[in-house]
Amino acid sequence: MSRPHGIPLPSAQRSSDSNETESACADDKQGQPRPREGVRQLTGAERVRTLVESNASVSLTLIGARDSHGPEEFGTGMPVARTVTPDGDVILLVSGESTAARAAAHAQDDDVTAVIEITDVAPVSVPHRIRGRAWLAGWLTPVRGDDRAGCAALLAERHPVGELLGLGESLDAPYTGRPAWMMLRLEVGEITVDDLWGADHVDPEDLAAAEPDPVSPHEAELLQHLHSSHGDRIGELCGLLGDRGVRGMTAVPLALDRVGLRVRFTGGASGSSFDARFDFPEPVADICGLRRAMRALFSAASH
C-alpha cells in the first residue's frame, strides 16, 4: 500500500553494534534498554500478532479525517475488542456512534485509510515502562453480510465481551437506526513494530501466519505476582549474570513469553539500567509448561 498521508509509520531500521549471543541488553543511553543480537526471541510477526490479540492500549486514526470528538464523544472511537482473521485482516469492534464507524459506513469500499497504534505498557513499575508499540496501516470497511457471524465468533473467542457481540441497536435506534456496536475490517497493508527487541517491518502475510504467544493472556498477572510475592527469587537471578551481576541492584520482572523471562536490573554503583533474558530450556506451549520452566530457572539460580 502507499503510505498514508499525515501519519508516516516509524522507521524500522534496527541498530546493533554487537553480534554477541549473551542475553544482556545495551545500556540506557537511548532510553529503553535493548538486547544484543543472537538471542532467542519471537519473530516480528509473532510480536505484532500477540499485541493485536492482547489487552494493550489501542487507538484508531483515520488518515485525513478531522477529529470530530466533542466532550460527549470522547473515547467512542477506541476499539473495545480486536482480533485477526485467517487472512490477516484485523477485525475491530467499535461504537456505532464513533467517527470510524460513521466514516466506514458511508465510504465506498476502500476509501477510508486508517492506522491502528497499539501501546504495550509493562504491568509492573519500572524505568522506561512502555515496552513497545506497533502500527498497522490499511483500508477500513464495515464487516457486512455473511462475514458478520464468523467475525463475531472470532472476536468472542479472543475477547469475550458479553452482550456487546449481540451488535444490537442503540438506545436511540428509533431516531438514528445506528447499531450500538459495529465491526470494522482493516485490510492491512503495512506494519511496523518498535519494542524491547528493536524495530522491524512485518509483512502482512507473515502476520496472518503467526500465532499469538500462548503466555500473553497470563503475563500481566504472573509478572505482578512474581514482583509482589517472589521478589527475592527474582533477585537471585542476578547470580546467573556472571560479571554483570552487581550487588545492591533492584531486579524487576519485565516481560514473559514462551521462550523466556526478561528482568530489568536497576541501581548499583553506576545507577544504570539493563535487561537480562533468561531463556527456558525449550519454548513452552501452555501455563503448565511455563510453571515447570520457571521452577527450573529458580532452581538453577539457587545453586
Side-chain angles (χ1 to χ4, degrees), residues 42-66:
L42 304 182
T43 67
E46 288 173 328
R47 283 144 47 203
V48 173
R49 181 70 183 257
T50 299
L51 282 177
V52 173
E53 304 281 11
S54 74
N55 292 321
S57 174
V58 62
S59 64
L60 174 63
T61 301
L62 306 185
I63 308 304
R66 183 172 61 87

Side-chain angles (χ1 to χ4, degrees), residues 99-259:
T99 301
R102 283 182 276 184
H106 292 95
Q108 296 295 320
D109 297 328
D110 58 358
D111 282 353
V112 179
T113 306
V115 175
I116 300 172
E117 179 176 348
I118 305 172
T119 303
D120 178 32
V121 180
V124 292
S125 180
V126 290
H128 314 299
R129 193 165 180 177
I130 295 179
R131 301 188 299 187
R133 288 187 173 93
W135 296 264
L136 300 90
W139 301 275
L140 200 65
T141 56
V143 177
R144 296 187 174 99
D146 295 340
D147 290 340
R148 287 165 56 85
C151 291
L154 281 176
L155 280 172
E157 178 184 352
R158 296 294 187 186
H159 301 278
V161 287
E163 68 278 10
L164 297 188
L165 289 182
L167 299 174
E169 299 296 311
S170 60
L171 293 177
D172 59 350
Y175 304 99
T176 69
R178 295 193 186 107
W181 303 97
M182 180 181 286
M183 287 184 293
L184 303 179
R185 180 192 306 274
L186 184 77
E187 181 184 347
V188 181
E190 188 171 357
I191 305 169
T192 297
V193 61
D194 187 3
D195 60 10
L196 293 170
W197 294 109
D200 282 311
H201 285 304
V202 174
D203 191 300
E205 293 183 359
D206 293 336
L207 177 69
E211 290 291 334
D213 187 80
V215 174
S216 178
H218 315 284
E219 185 200 22
E221 181 181 358
L222 289 172
L223 289 177
Q224 291 168 352
H225 176 70
L226 287 171
H227 183 47
S228 63
S229 301
H230 301 284
D232 55 338
R233 305 299 301 273
I234 298 297
E236 289 176 359
L237 296 176
C238 189
L240 299 176
L241 297 179
D243 294 340
R244 297 211 66 173
V246 179
R247 291 184 179 276
M249 299 199 77
T250 299
V252 179
L254 176 67
L256 188 62
D257 55 44
R258 64 184 175 87
V259 296

Side-chain angles (χ1 to χ4, degrees), residues 58-59 67-80 95 97-99 102 181:
V58 62
S59 64
D67 186 1
S68 61
H69 285 171
E72 73 281 359
E73 287 188 308
F74 182 77
T76 58
M78 299 297 179
V80 297
S95 166
E97 297 295 324
S98 67
T99 301
R102 283 182 276 184
W181 303 97

